[in-house]
Amino acid sequence: MNSSPTPAVPVLNIANVLTVVRILLVPFFIWFLLLDDGGGGLFRWLAVATFAVAIYTDKLDGDLARSRGLITDFGKIADPIADKLLIGSALILLSVLGELWWWVTIVILVREIGITLLRFAVIRYGVMPASRGGKLKTVVQTVAILLLLVPLQALLGDWAWWVAAAVMAAALVITVVTGVDYILQAIRLRARARR
């Protein structure tokens, strides 16, 4: 039997660096999308590319953290925050540009901000990592946002927007359901810690 303690995972590791890179890409995404102003030109495509690279870092950092044993409390907190910054900025800008209903953006952002605050409120009882439902929510939101970001309507007509709207509706439902699940998770975590 090996009695030596497991070495602590350093906070500065490739998975956490990728999470920070995702956060740093958000202002570039915002800038490109605002420069385009809904025109579907070069800056719109740069915004799409920046969003796609940033969202890919989400998959990559998670894969690396799990496969190399680089999971840290910092990563458990920073990764969902990075996702919320990227997804939130995309939703707000799509609404500003008139390409997404404001009520959808508000419902999703209220859930995202509320769950983030809830995570911080219960952190003294333990860390609430992203659930499978939360990961599905991020994937479906990402697909919906990409469908709205890529200027498909110019190429494929109005039905492209309706497909994007249907995917966004699915994302909205998953967002609300997983929000309720996180609230229940926090209640259980707090109850276990108080026993």
Side-chain angles (χ1 to χ4, degrees):
M1 182 169 143
N2 186 354
S3 62
S4 63
T6 306
V9 177
V11 172
L12 184 60
N13 64 58
I14 187 65
N16 288 343
V17 168
L18 286 170
T19 299
V20 173
V21 166
R22 184 162 66 258
I23 292 169
L24 295 175
L25 285 172
V26 171
F28 292 98
F29 165 72
I30 292 169
W31 185 57
F32 290 142
L33 198 55
L34 287 175
L35 282 175
D36 182 72
D37 195 28
L42 172 65
F43 287 112
R44 181 65 169 237
W45 286 103
L46 287 171
V48 169
T50 304
F51 184 86
V53 167
I55 214 65
Y56 180 69
T57 66
D58 185 31
K59 177 181 177 6
L60 188 58
D61 69 15
D63 290 348
L64 288 170
R66 285 184 294 279
S67 68
R68 296 185 180 181
L70 300 176
I71 297 171
T72 64
D73 284 346
F74 172 82
K76 288 178 188 176
I77 297 295
D79 184 72
I81 290 172
D83 294 344
K84 286 166 183 42
L85 287 172
L86 182 62
I87 298 290
S89 63
L91 293 170
I92 290 168
L93 289 173
L94 286 167
S95 292
V96 165
L97 295 172
E99 298 175 28
L100 179 64
W101 298 296
W102 271 107
W103 71 266
V104 172
T105 296
I106 291 167
V107 168
I108 292 173
L109 290 180
V110 164
R111 183 272 192 202
E112 299 297 344
I113 293 166
I115 296 305
T116 300
L117 293 174
L118 180 65
R119 283 175 187 259
F120 284 116
V122 300
I123 201 163
R124 67 178 171 254
Y125 305 114
V127 174
M128 280 189 343
S131 68
R132 290 172 121 183
K135 291 174 184 175
L136 174 64
K137 170 209 53 107
T138 301
V139 169
V140 178
Q141 284 178 353
T142 299
V143 171
I145 289 167
L146 280 169
L147 288 170
L148 290 168
L149 283 174
V150 176
L152 292 175
Q153 274 188 283
L155 303 170
L156 305 174
D158 286 344
W159 74 269
W161 185 87
W162 286 105
V163 169
V167 176
M168 185 57 79
L172 185 63
V173 169
I174 295 167
T175 299
V176 171
V177 169
T178 57
V180 171
D181 181 56
Y182 277 121
I183 291 168
L184 296 174
Q185 225 183 92
I187 291 167
R188 287 190 298 270
L189 182 66
R190 184 174 179 236
R192 270 195 309 267
R194 289 189 163 193
R195 278 187 237 154

